[in-house]
């Protein structure tokens, strides 16, 4: 329906244009036309005031006319004051006709309305949000950078930290761009979890995976309970946030990863670590680079699950659970 309206819009554009273009504002009335229109009323007023002509009547109401015009006059947006002396009215230079910014408060323009400031957008967390990138890049040894990076989050119990190779990151990023949404099973007790799926070992609570790419060298992965996402969609609060930093990929051939597990959301650090392992199983793969037959078939199976979920047809949760429980 919307498309039909859009297609029909040009058809009615020309008639509407013609209709509006034919409306021309009337020209102002001349003095003689005004006198002719209000001839009877003017004659009555002239008789009451003893005036013999319209000009004489206008002269009689001269003071009142001036007062009405002054009262209905629209003030200018800012004050314009002549700075020339009254004894020299012939002065007409621009500098002598416009007041300076130091005019008195009564002559200056009224204060602008108090417009509330728009809050700044939340800053995207990248590598510079956690460390001094320039100082970190001065280290040439990969081991030194890894130790510094891990020490940065050593005293934070809800933090996740890792270092990846550029090859692994490129696989993850490529698959994440192609399949930006997925689900992963988190093992739960059979009596817990409102969105549990039965399996031989108990139950699994489904977690929703969403990838975003806010900057060139920054990739975010948000993990949210599937039930939470169904209830609140884009306003759902993720329980785990992973950030991949590729700032040192070209210079040091490594990518840094850190994450945060939100407290009081029924997700432990061990749960988050298990989900990160599952993420690698499904996103850190490329069947074309596998030389081993078994590894290539395994990569093809997991890639097929990503494709089926992306298409929304033929996806089997039991196959998903089996792959996550498989020891690589």
């Amino acid at each position: 329906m919307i498309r039909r309206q859009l297609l029909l819009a040009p058809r009615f554009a020309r008639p509407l244009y013609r209709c509006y273009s034919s409306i021309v504002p009337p020209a102002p009335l001349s003095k003689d036309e005004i006198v002719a229109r209000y001839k009877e009323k003017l004659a009555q007023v002239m008789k009451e005031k003893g005036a013999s002509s319209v000009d004489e009547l206008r002269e009689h109401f001269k003071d009142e006319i001036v007062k009405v015009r002054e009262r209905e006059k629209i003030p200018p947006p800012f004050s314009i004051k002549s700075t020339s002396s009254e004894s020299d009215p012939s002065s007409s230079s621009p500098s002598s006709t416009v007041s300076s910014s130091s005019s008195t408060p009564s002559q200056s323009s009224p204060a602008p309305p108090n417009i509330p400031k728009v809050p700044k957008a939340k800053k995207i967390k990248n590598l510079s949000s956690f460390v001094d990138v320039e100082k970190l890049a001065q280290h040439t040894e990969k081991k030194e950078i890894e130790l510094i990076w891990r020490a940065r989050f050593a005293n934070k119990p809800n933090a996740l930290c890792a270092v990846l190779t550029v090859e692994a990151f490129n696989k993850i990023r490529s698959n994440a761009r192609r399949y930006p949404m997925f689900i992963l099973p988190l093992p739960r007790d059979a009596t817990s979890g409102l969105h549990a799926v039965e399996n031989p070992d108990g139950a699994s609570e489904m977690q929703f995976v969403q990838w975003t790419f806010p900057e060139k060298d920054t990739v975010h992965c948000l993990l949210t309970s599937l039930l939470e996402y169904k209830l609140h969609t884009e306003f759902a609060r993720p329980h785990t946030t992973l950030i991949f930093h590729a700032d040192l990929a070209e210079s040091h051939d490594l990518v840094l990863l850190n994450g945060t597990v939100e407290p009081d959301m029924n997700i432990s650090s061990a749960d988050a670590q298990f989900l990160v392992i599952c993420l690698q199983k499904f996103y850190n793969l490329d069947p074309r680079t596998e030389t081993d037959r078994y590894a290539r078939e395994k990569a093809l199976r997991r890639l097929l699950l990503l494709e089926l979920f992306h298409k929304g047809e033929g996806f089997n949760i039991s196959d998903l659970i089996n792959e996550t429980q498989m020891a690589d």
Side-chain angles (χ1 to χ4, degrees):
M1 184 67 182
I2 295 176
R3 180 168 180 173
R4 180 174 178 81
Q5 291 176 353
L6 291 175
L7 291 174
L8 290 177
R11 176 184 173 188
F12 294 102
R14 188 179 300 274
L16 286 174
Y17 171 75
R18 289 176 179 174
C19 179
Y20 284 114
S21 63
S22 62
I23 300 175
V24 180
L29 296 176
S30 64
K31 178 181 176 181
D32 295 336
E33 289 174 334
I34 294 175
V35 173
R37 176 173 294 186
Y38 301 100
K39 182 178 180 180
E40 295 181 1
K41 291 184 179 181
L42 287 173
Q44 183 180 353
V45 176
M46 288 168 60
K47 183 178 180 180
E48 292 176 358
K49 300 300 180 181
S52 59
S53 64
V54 176
D55 292 335
E56 187 177 344
L57 184 63
R58 185 184 293 108
E59 188 67 24
H60 180 80
F61 288 103
K62 179 180 179 180
D63 295 337
E64 293 186 17
I65 293 174
V66 172
K67 290 180 181 179
V68 172
R69 287 179 176 176
E70 288 295 331
R71 186 170 61 249
E72 296 181 354
K73 184 178 181 181
I74 300 175
F78 54 87
S79 298
I80 299 179
K81 174 188 174 184
S82 174
T83 57
S84 61
S85 174
E86 293 182 0
S87 60
D88 186 16
S90 61
S91 177
S92 60
S93 62
S95 61
S96 64
T97 56
V98 182
S99 63
S100 63
S101 60
S102 60
S103 58
T104 59
S106 60
Q107 298 165 340
S108 60
S109 60
N114 186 17
I115 302 175
K117 295 182 179 180
V118 179
K120 295 182 178 179
K122 188 176 180 181
K123 183 180 178 182
I124 296 173
K125 287 189 175 182
N126 49 26
L127 186 58
S128 61
S129 303
F130 303 97
V131 293
D132 189 325
V133 181
E134 293 184 2
K135 290 184 178 180
L136 187 64
Q138 293 177 0
H139 295 271
T140 57
E141 295 294 332
K142 295 181 181 180
K143 196 65 177 178
E144 293 180 358
I145 296 177
E146 181 177 354
L147 291 174
I148 295 172
W149 182 244
R150 293 186 181 278
R152 173 66 176 78
F153 305 96
N155 297 325
K156 296 185 177 183
N158 294 330
L160 301 174
C161 182
V163 177
L164 292 78
T165 64
V166 175
E167 180 184 3
F169 173 73
N170 288 337
K171 292 179 182 179
I172 293 174
R173 181 171 56 181
S174 176
N175 289 320
R177 287 187 180 278
R178 188 174 181 182
Y179 309 108
M181 292 183 290
F182 195 52
I183 57 173
L184 292 173
L186 180 62
R188 295 293 195 189
D189 182 76
T191 59
S192 66
L194 297 178
H195 201 73
V197 177
E198 294 184 359
N199 64 76
D201 296 328
S204 295
E205 183 182 359
M206 291 298 144
Q207 309 299 313
F208 182 70
V209 180
Q210 187 175 12
W211 296 87
T212 62
F213 308 88
E215 292 182 354
K216 175 189 174 186
D217 295 324
T218 307
V219 177
H220 289 185
C221 181
L222 309 178
L223 300 173
T224 312
S225 167
L226 184 59
L227 178 61
E228 170 79 8
Y229 185 80
K230 285 185 175 181
L231 291 175
H232 304 288
T233 60
E234 66 267 22
F235 300 103
R237 179 186 175 192
H239 57 69
T240 304
T241 303
L242 304 175
I243 310 177
F244 296 78
H245 310 280
D247 303 63
L248 305 180
E250 295 184 3
S251 58
H252 295 75
D253 194 32
L254 54 79
V255 176
L256 306 178
L257 165 67
N258 73 295
T260 303
V261 182
E262 297 294 334
D264 304 325
M265 293 196 69
N266 198 28
I267 296 291
S268 65
S269 296
D271 293 335
Q273 291 175 8
F274 173 81
L275 292 174
V276 171
I277 294 174
C278 291
L279 277 175
Q280 295 185 59
K281 287 184 177 182
F282 288 93
Y283 283 91
N284 183 16
L285 52 84
D286 186 354
R288 298 170 300 180
T289 62
E290 299 292 347
T291 57
D292 180 72
R293 177 182 175 184
Y294 174 77
R296 184 168 58 255
E297 291 178 353
K298 179 175 61 178
L300 288 172
R301 287 197 315 269
R302 295 173 180 178
L303 197 63
L304 178 61
L305 285 172
L306 288 172
E307 182 68 25
L308 294 175
F309 183 84
H310 179 70
K311 290 182 177 179
E313 57 182 18
F315 181 78
N316 192 304
I317 293 181
S318 297
D319 294 341
L320 172 69
I321 295 175
N322 291 335
E323 290 295 335
T324 58
Q325 295 176 346
M326 188 178 297
D328 289 348

